[in-house]
Structure formats: structure tokens, C-alpha cells
Amino acid sequence: MRIARHLRDGRPALAVVTDDAVVSLECDHTDLPSLLEACGGDLAAAVDAMERGPAMPLDEARLLSPVGRPPTILAVGLNYRAHAAEGGREPPTVPIIFNKHHHCIVGPHHPIHIPAAAPDMVDYEGELAIVIGRSARAVSASKALAHIAGYTIMNDVSVRDWQRASPTMMMGKSWDTHGPCGPWLVTGDSLDPHACRLVTEVNGAVRQDANTDDLIFNCYEIVEHLSTAFTLEAGTVIATGTPEGVGAFSKPPAFLSPGDVVSVTVEGIGTLTNPVTAEPV
């Protein structure tokens, strides 16, 4: 099942996505965190029980980030073996975790802004993202799936000079518009997250082409690791890491510029596409 947020009569609404249409759901919830809280994380059952509203062709729908404003955005660094290798790093023995500020979240086709204050080293990072379905605290990897609502795509846009200037990564990862997410959420019962091809293209040229079977720490292990320390609330988004092929390690480096278009495709989910523009004055 594919769940999206879109504009319905100018307001955010949840919807089911079919092969060629977006079908609105008749419910009071306008984002996934509130719906997940209300249904106890059983998203598929809750959506199945809802009445359907009007439909519109998929290519005419104005899609938004499928989650809305998540309570937390977490991300994993250096979580593909080949990506660690391209940077000359040993694979980490524990997950490298950082935050992204929630104002970074935008939806499909929303512009990624090149910051006026840091225009020279803006990079793409195509990633599979987990969306937590019900609160998780001290959850083992073997039971993590029961706490996952589903999966989506995130482009963990990174301002490399700001990222490298600090011992932590948050300031290089959290600029407004630097967390494109979508195009929808695929429920956890309909996707094997550890056998998905991931391809990132810039202006139609393939920059990243990998499979999630190269993850060092898989989705369930990530949930276990994080929930050992703190509660993962419903609607939390966890970006699981990017594979090799980022612009910073290209030869020569290949950073984003206004006029570029970035598309991230994850097998079994879909394609997230965003244009790149200069930051509005």
C-alpha cells in the first residue's frame, strides 16, 4: 500500500496512491504522525477502514512530503560499505547517528535551495528512509518490523564545507529544503527494505547505483540501536545512509548548482525528483 499527502482543495490531505491516481482518504488527520498515533501504528488496517474521497490523476496531483512534520529526523552516516571505502574510511563498528532539523523536509518537486551563505559544496545523498509506526523503546532487531509503518525516500542534501567545519554533522545537514522526502510511503508489509536497488541521477546522469543489501547496519538493527537509548515516536523518520557515488568523492568533485534536477529511485517505492534553485532572496 502507498500512502501520500497531497493538496486537496488547497489543504494537506492523506491519500492512497494507485497505479495512476491519488485517492483522498476521508479522515481528520492531515499528516502521518497524528494518524499513526491514533491507530496505534497499524497503518494498513486504519487506511483500509477509511472511506475514500475524490480521486485525481497521479500526474496532476500536488504531492507533499508523505510524513508532514515528523517529531524527529535521524540519519545514519557511512552505512554502506562501498561509501565508506570511497571516502577512505573503515566501516564503522557502531552506527554513526546525526539529526536533521525538521524544517529541512520538503516534498517531491519542491526546489532544493543552494544557500547564498554556502553555495559551493552542496551535495546529494539518495537514501532509503524508515518511518516509525508506533513508539519504540528498547526494541530488539527481531521485533523492529512491528514498529515500522513503512519506508520512503530521502535525499540527505549536505552542505559539505559546513559539515566538515564541525565535529558534528547537524549544521551541514539541516538547511531549509535539504531533506526532500517522498513521493509517498510504502507500508512495511509490502517491501523488503534490504533488497532494493537505489539509483540517484543528476540531470539524467546516474551518480549512485547500489543495493540496500550493502547496508552495514540494516533497518531493524538501526531501530534497535536507537531505541536502546531513547524513545522513537510515531512518525519519526530515519534516513538509513547513502551509497557510494556522492559528489564530494567524484573525480573531479561534482556538486549541485542551480538548474540541476536530482532524482532518487528506490526499487519498490518510486522516484523522488527535485529541482535545484538558488536560495530566494
Side-chain angles (χ1 to χ4, degrees):
M1 181 182 292
R2 297 182 292 177
I3 310 298
R5 287 174 71 244
H6 72 124
L7 286 181
R8 176 182 176 184
D9 300 326
R11 296 183 178 182
L14 294 171
V16 173
V17 180
T18 68
D19 288 342
D20 56 6
V22 171
V23 183
S24 292
L25 296 170
E26 299 293 359
C27 70
D28 295 331
H29 303 282
T30 61
D31 64 10
L32 276 176
S34 63
L35 174 58
L36 289 166
E37 286 283 359
C39 72
D42 194 350
L43 182 60
V47 170
D48 280 339
M50 291 178 186
E51 293 184 11
R52 300 307 197 251
M56 69 173 63
L58 179 57
D59 59 4
E60 295 178 12
R62 171 76 182 278
L63 296 177
L64 307 172
S65 163
V67 179
R69 178 167 290 184
T72 310
I73 307 169
L74 299 163
V76 188
L78 290 179
N79 199 28
Y80 282 77
R81 294 170 183 84
H83 178 48
E86 74 173 342
R89 303 278 295 276
E90 290 295 321
T93 56
V94 295
I96 298 171
I97 305 298
F98 58 91
N99 291 82
K100 288 176 74 76
H101 193 277
H102 59 239
H103 279 289
C104 77
I105 288 276
V106 293
H109 305 294
H110 191 288
I112 297 167
H113 294 157
I114 300 295
D120 298 326
M121 298 179 71
V122 180
D123 209 347
Y124 53 86
E125 289 193 8
E127 307 197 10
L128 172 73
I130 302 164
V131 179
I132 295 296
R134 60 186 178 94
S135 292
R137 177 70 167 89
V139 172
S140 67
S142 64
K143 296 181 179 179
L145 180 57
H147 293 264
I148 294 173
Y151 305 91
T152 188
I153 302 169
M154 177 169 277
N155 185 349
D156 176 24
V157 179
S158 305
V159 181
R160 298 297 188 195
D161 42 355
W162 278 59
Q163 177 184 343
R164 295 168 180 171
S166 169
T168 64
M169 287 188 277
M170 183 176 176
M171 289 300 290
K173 297 282 191 171
S174 294
W175 294 69
D176 287 358
T177 77
H178 286 191
C181 185
W184 39 68
L185 174 140
V186 172
T187 52
D189 58 353
S190 55
L191 181 76
D192 177 358
H194 305 125
C196 300
R197 185 182 180 194
L198 188 158
V199 177
T200 302
E201 297 176 88
V202 179
N203 303 328
V206 173
R207 298 284 185 87
Q208 297 178 290
D209 190 348
N211 195 290
T212 55
D213 64 6
D214 191 44
L215 284 167
I216 297 169
F217 304 101
N218 70 35
C219 295
Y220 310 145
E221 292 166 339
I222 292 167
V223 170
E224 177 181 71
H225 179 74
L226 294 171
S227 72
T228 300
F230 48 79
T231 300
L232 299 172
E233 297 177 84
T236 295
V237 176
I238 307 167
T240 60
T242 202
E244 67 175 324
V246 297
F249 296 141
S250 298
K251 294 182 173 47
F255 295 112
L256 297 176
S257 301
D260 289 341
V261 177
V262 185
S263 293
V264 184
T265 300
V266 175
E267 182 182 8
I269 299 179
T271 299
L272 170 68
T273 297
N274 297 89
V276 180
T277 67
E279 181 180 28
V281 178

